[in-house]
Amino acid sequence: MSGAGSREPGRMIGKLSGIVDSYGEDWVIVDVGGVGYQVHCPARVLQSLPQVGEAARLSIETYVREDAIRLYGFASDLEREWFRLLMTVQGVGAKVALAVLGILKPGDLATAIALQDKASLGRAPGVGKKVAERIVAELRDKAPAYSSADPGLIHLQTDLAENRAPRPVADAVSALVNLGYAQVQASAAVATASRSAGEEATAETLIRLGLKELAR
């Protein structure tokens, strides 16, 4: 596991329920029966937690290093599972995984990966182009199960990335991108246009219908 030390067998602490004692830049201390646990959380999770003195509940991932035990806290078990998945990607340590989950909810992260939307992943601090590409490449087979994205759009994005999309479809997406639309937006519009126009539609037809879709 990159950047987080080794994980002991078993999950150790899996959940914490207690009173918020204090906050730091990327952590919260949760008082559980008089014991304060320092929990590192994604920024988005920290912002959603209650005020000092109020009750909080977090799903926990425990990592043990030679010099310390570190707890990572999440709003749900699903979010914790995505933290684990991100940590399996080469070059992604705990800091980067937390940064990604700090800007994207689990469903949004799954959709970004499924649609190969590297720009969304790149908004996270520490995630450059290469890291975003690795996250997509290594997790895209797992992402659709968690994503709310249109399966047809996911399929189209995969075909475009692997140069397997029909020429009219690829040309239509390229044309919309050249007009200034984001690649994911263009693909979504063309996927919708393709369903209504049929498999024999020309690039010109798909562009026209795609523009109508984008104008809605």
Side-chain angles (χ1 to χ4, degrees):
M1 293 284 182
S2 173
S6 60
R7 183 165 64 192
E8 290 288 296
R11 295 298 182 192
M12 300 182 70
I13 297 173
K15 284 188 184 296
L16 279 180
S17 295
I19 303 300
V20 175
D21 178 86
S22 58
Y23 285 103
E25 183 178 354
D26 67 346
W27 50 261
V28 60
I29 290 181
V30 181
D31 186 321
V32 182
V35 178
Y37 292 88
Q38 185 179 48
V39 185
H40 296 267
C41 302
R44 185 177 44 76
V45 174
L46 283 177
Q47 293 165 5
S48 70
L49 290 175
Q51 297 179 2
V52 171
E54 297 183 359
R57 178 184 177 90
L58 291 166
S59 294
I60 301 294
E61 182 75 347
T62 306
Y63 281 85
V64 178
R65 301 195 299 192
E66 292 181 2
D67 58 346
I69 296 175
R70 180 161 288 208
L71 306 180
Y72 298 100
F74 307 95
S76 65
D77 290 347
L78 177 59
E79 192 168 62
R80 179 180 61 191
E81 183 61 28
W82 270 107
F83 177 76
R84 294 171 180 167
L85 285 171
L86 286 166
M87 292 278 283
T88 67
V89 176
Q90 180 186 359
V92 175
K95 185 175 181 179
V96 170
L98 289 177
V100 171
L101 290 167
I103 64 166
L104 293 170
K105 295 179 181 179
D108 295 334
L109 173 57
T111 297
I113 294 172
L115 298 180
Q116 303 180 52
D117 182 6
K118 295 182 281 289
S120 290
L121 294 169
R123 292 191 293 112
V127 178
K129 181 179 179 180
K130 289 185 178 180
V131 172
E133 288 174 348
R134 282 200 294 267
I135 291 173
V136 167
E138 296 183 29
L139 298 183
R140 74 182 186 190
D141 289 341
K142 300 180 176 69
Y146 300 98
S147 173
S148 60
D150 176 2
L153 177 54
I154 294 173
H155 181 71
L156 174 56
Q157 285 290 83
T158 301
D159 284 349
L160 288 169
E162 298 176 359
N163 295 316
R164 291 190 284 107
R167 184 61 181 271
V169 171
D171 287 348
V173 172
S174 178
L176 294 179
V177 169
N178 289 337
L179 289 173
Y181 293 100
Q183 205 273 345
V184 172
Q185 283 182 299
S187 295
V190 172
T192 300
S194 184
R195 279 196 295 270
S196 63
E199 295 181 0
E200 302 301 320
T202 64
E204 290 76 11
T205 297
L206 294 175
I207 292 167
R208 178 172 51 80
L209 294 176
L211 286 169
K212 285 184 177 180
E213 188 68 25
L214 289 165
R216 289 185 178 182

